[in-house]
Amino acid sequence: MTDANNTSVIRNSLPETALTLSDFDYDLPEERIAQTPLEPRDSSRLMIIDRDRDTLEHRVFRDIIEYLRPEDVLVINDTRVLPARIIGHRSMKMNADGILTPSESTAPVELLLLKQRENDVWEALAGPGKRARPGDIISFGTGFLTAEVLDIGEEGCRIVRFRCEGGECETVYEALHKLGSMPLPPYIREKLNDPDRYQTVYARHEGSAAAPTAGLHFTPELLEKIKAKGCAVAPVLLHVGLGTFRPVKEEKLTDHEMHTEYISVSAETAKLINERRAAGGRVIAVGTTSCRTLESASDENGVLHAVTGDTGIFIYPGYRFKMVDALITNFHLPKSTLLMLVSALAGREKMLDAYKTAVEMEYRFFSFGDAMFIQ
């Protein structure tokens, strides 16, 4: 862990576990995957899991206010999704002798920007990869944005350097807003008519390659009612990247290593959360990204610190939570690190039983789906 304005990689150390990847599988009919968001946002269904009473309830999301206490603090991730999916073509390619030559093909090359490394250097996924090899130049739009492929990193990620030319844009962010589209997950096949529906109403800081989807259920009116009840709302930041949605391939959980993501917790937020918790309030994370940020920035004594850096924390059963008391979350993919995280909080068997019930009761799953409150 680091103080504010310093940077480090935060990882967790967990005991060996007998659980394997197969222990987090479940059957999900394809028709249960939500393709479009509901209107209004807070009309989604809400499953309430009470760990102490060992009960399960079915409500509507706007009813969440009934389960929040005046002394609690609701922690949101105020990241904003970039229109990070851009499509261009390879204008120059590196030949076998290391010489750049014009590319004759105009076949499309797609980049999904994951994380800004420095200035105009980014990590990105490329498809197809054979059209994005080190040395190649990819051109976008009318050519005012180009990307040079510098290297191939972990999991086949491309390291690219962007250049803006011709005066049509000055920064990569500006170019993305002209050329890019929302990076919806591959399981969503329906067109999203309103891109803002893949943003939370409190999104502020651009940098994510995916939305913190638990927050999509909140409306401004619901947040105001929550504050009026006395419950505090505190922002943290995690820019969602490969670490959140990268699939687990290793059967042994301890062999999986999370890709790092940028986080930030302000001194003001840390002070507020520590004060609320010391006074007996619960720390309620909105989404797994807020949860991972809080757990990364907390010490073993349960004190939250102001931090700016990268986290590679991987939470699965056996983890001892230091800060998070309750969690608002969506229903996650089988065998995913997100399902492992909620299983660490509520118990694997209890969570899989809840998922089975959700399937039977026709809950909507994944990014645009329904929600769960684990308390």
Side-chain angles (χ1 to χ4, degrees):
M1 185 168 52
T2 65
D3 294 327
N5 300 320
N6 290 325
T7 302
S8 71
V9 175
I10 304 165
R11 300 188 188 277
N12 62 319
S13 178
L14 282 176
E16 291 286 324
T17 175
L19 294 174
T20 64
L21 181 60
S22 302
D23 291 316
F24 296 90
D25 198 9
Y26 67 92
D27 293 325
L28 180 68
E30 188 173 349
E31 60 268 23
R32 298 271 59 81
I33 301 173
Q35 293 296 312
T36 56
L38 291 181
E39 292 294 345
R41 289 173 181 258
D42 60 1
S43 62
S44 296
R45 297 170 73 182
L46 176 66
M47 179 182 286
I48 308 289
I49 295 180
D50 191 310
R51 291 174 290 165
D52 292 334
R53 295 190 297 157
D54 196 23
T55 58
L56 188 151
E57 297 178 67
H58 306 283
R59 303 292 297 269
V60 176
F61 189 81
R62 64 178 67 95
D63 297 335
I64 188 71
I65 193 168
E66 298 179 23
Y67 297 85
L68 304 179
R69 306 166 188 165
E71 64 271 21
D72 291 340
V73 55
L74 196 68
V75 183
I76 60 175
N77 179 9
D78 62 359
T79 187
R80 188 170 183 83
V81 184
L82 279 167
R85 190 180 300 277
I86 52 176
I87 298 176
H89 68 278
R90 184 172 60 179
S91 58
M92 302 289 287
K93 64 179 181 179
M94 187 75 71
N95 66 20
D97 297 321
I99 300 173
L100 268 177
T101 59
S103 175
E104 298 177 356
S105 173
T106 58
V109 182
E110 181 179 294
L111 291 186
L112 171 60
L113 275 60
L114 297 174
K115 183 180 179 181
Q116 186 176 19
R117 283 197 168 188
E118 55 178 284
N119 298 324
D120 293 331
V121 177
W122 288 70
E123 295 177 14
L125 295 178
K130 64 182 180 180
R131 298 182 194 145
R133 295 170 176 162
D136 291 349
I137 306 294
I138 304 167
S139 179
F140 302 92
T142 58
F144 63 84
L145 179 70
T146 60
E148 178 188 0
V149 182
L150 302 178
D151 199 1
I152 300 177
E154 300 177 48
E155 297 295 311
C157 281
R158 267 47 180 184
I159 313 302
V160 299
R161 177 185 288 118
F162 286 99
R163 289 188 175 85
C164 297
E165 301 173 350
E168 289 194 44
C169 63
E170 295 183 0
T171 67
V172 175
Y173 286 90
E174 186 179 344
L176 289 176
H177 282 284
K178 289 186 176 184
L179 300 170
S181 60
M182 276 294 167
L184 294 178
Y187 51 75
I188 295 179
R189 300 182 180 89
E190 296 287 333
K191 182 180 179 182
L192 182 63
N193 294 322
D194 180 7
D196 281 342
R197 282 303 275 113
Y198 196 57
Q199 303 278 15
T200 63
V201 297
Y202 45 76
R204 291 182 57 200
H205 304 286
E206 279 194 324
S208 275
T213 53
L216 296 178
H217 303 284
F218 287 91
T219 65
E221 294 78 15
L222 180 57
L223 286 168
E224 287 305 312
K225 290 178 181 178
I226 289 170
K227 294 175 185 176
K229 187 172 184 176
C231 180
V233 178
V236 295
L237 179 67
L238 182 146
H239 284 325
V240 184
L242 191 59
T244 294
F245 55 84
R246 171 193 173 197
V248 180
K249 298 178 181 178
E250 297 81 4
E251 184 65 20
K252 187 177 180 182
L253 300 189
T254 50
D255 290 340
H256 177 74
E257 186 171 342
M258 295 283 284
H259 197 274
T260 62
E261 295 164 306
Y262 176 83
I263 65 169
S264 179
V265 177
S266 70
E268 180 182 8
T269 285
K271 181 175 183 291
L272 172 61
I273 292 175
N274 287 329
E275 288 176 349
R276 286 268 171 157
R277 199 161 195 251
R282 297 176 301 172
V283 177
I284 301 171
V286 177
T288 56
T289 59
S290 296
C291 177
R292 293 178 62 234
T293 302
L294 290 168
E295 292 299 312
S296 296
S298 299
D299 63 28
E300 294 301 322
N301 297 315
V303 177
L304 183 65
H305 296 264
V307 301
T308 300
D310 289 337
T311 183
I313 192 170
F314 178 23
I315 297 175
Y316 54 85
Y319 180 83
R320 183 179 66 85
F321 286 83
K322 300 171 289 186
M323 179 57 56
V324 173
D325 300 303
L327 175 68
I328 297 170
T329 187
N330 279 20
F331 291 86
H332 305 296
L333 277 72
K335 297 184 177 181
S336 64
T337 61
L338 308 183
L339 179 56
M340 294 170 192
L341 185 153
V342 297
S343 297
L345 185 63
R348 185 188 71 90
E349 291 185 6
K350 183 177 293 185
M351 189 54 51
L352 291 179
D353 284 344
Y355 271 52
K356 182 179 179 181
T357 299
V359 171
E360 292 171 350
M361 296 191 66
E362 299 186 350
Y363 272 67
R364 305 167 80 244
F365 277 65
F366 304 165
S367 296
F368 287 143
D370 296 316
M372 172 187 290
F373 180 40
I374 305 170
Q375 65 171 351

